[in-house]
Amino acid sequence: MEGREGFGERLAHMLAVEPMRDDKLELILIMLRSASSPKTAEAVRQHSGASFFGPLETFMGGENAAVRARLLGCLMLGATMNRMMHEDFMLDDEQRRELCVELARTIDHYVSGDVCEG
């Protein structure tokens, strides 16, 4: 995983600008379907923890890394779901650039650790 420098910009660009990859969309749909089934929900939880949240917590480090990783996960899932429904976020090019800047700022805020301070 690349370093923390520029992470917010890279992730925001991926979430808001880069074309959505069909394989990622399919994985999200599978996880959503599986999470609603009592038989597969625990497997989804374990996989999410081991493959996504655990490494993200390590990357973020510091206090409240688990909480901050979940906040970032919520942001990522919400942005992805929005893109699935509205490819361009229903924004013009300038507004999408502004969205990308604000997403990057929010992501960096979560990663830095100051989001969970008193």
Side-chain angles (χ1 to χ4, degrees):
M1 185 180 296
E2 291 183 48
R4 292 168 83 171
E5 185 69 31
F7 179 74
E9 286 182 40
R10 291 190 306 272
L11 183 55
H13 190 266
M14 182 191 80
L15 291 170
V17 178
E18 289 178 11
M20 297 204 60
R21 291 181 18 207
D22 289 340
D23 59 328
K24 285 187 178 183
L25 294 176
E26 189 61 31
L27 178 62
I28 290 170
L29 292 174
I30 289 169
M31 289 179 68
L32 288 173
R33 286 186 208 111
S34 298
S36 65
S37 165
K39 292 181 180 180
T40 57
E42 185 57 29
V44 169
R45 288 175 51 89
Q46 289 178 5
H47 178 74
S48 295
S51 299
F52 181 75
F53 289 115
L56 186 56
E57 290 172 32
T58 300
F59 171 75
M60 291 176 140
E63 292 185 38
N64 297 310
V67 172
R68 292 182 289 116
R70 279 19 174 230
L71 284 168
L72 184 52
C74 289
L75 181 144
M76 292 172 67
L77 185 57
T80 301
M81 296 300 291
N82 194 308
R83 285 282 304 276
M84 289 172 74
M85 293 183 289
H86 314 287
E87 177 67 24
D88 61 359
F89 288 98
M90 298 171 53
L91 299 172
D92 63 33
D93 289 343
E94 180 60 30
Q95 290 170 320
R96 241 168 117 190
R97 280 190 288 278
E98 290 174 29
L99 174 69
C100 200
V101 167
E102 294 306 321
L103 276 173
R105 185 175 300 154
T106 301
I107 292 164
D108 286 338
H109 187 66
Y110 290 169
V111 171
S112 72
D114 59 358
V115 71
C116 291
E117 293 178 354

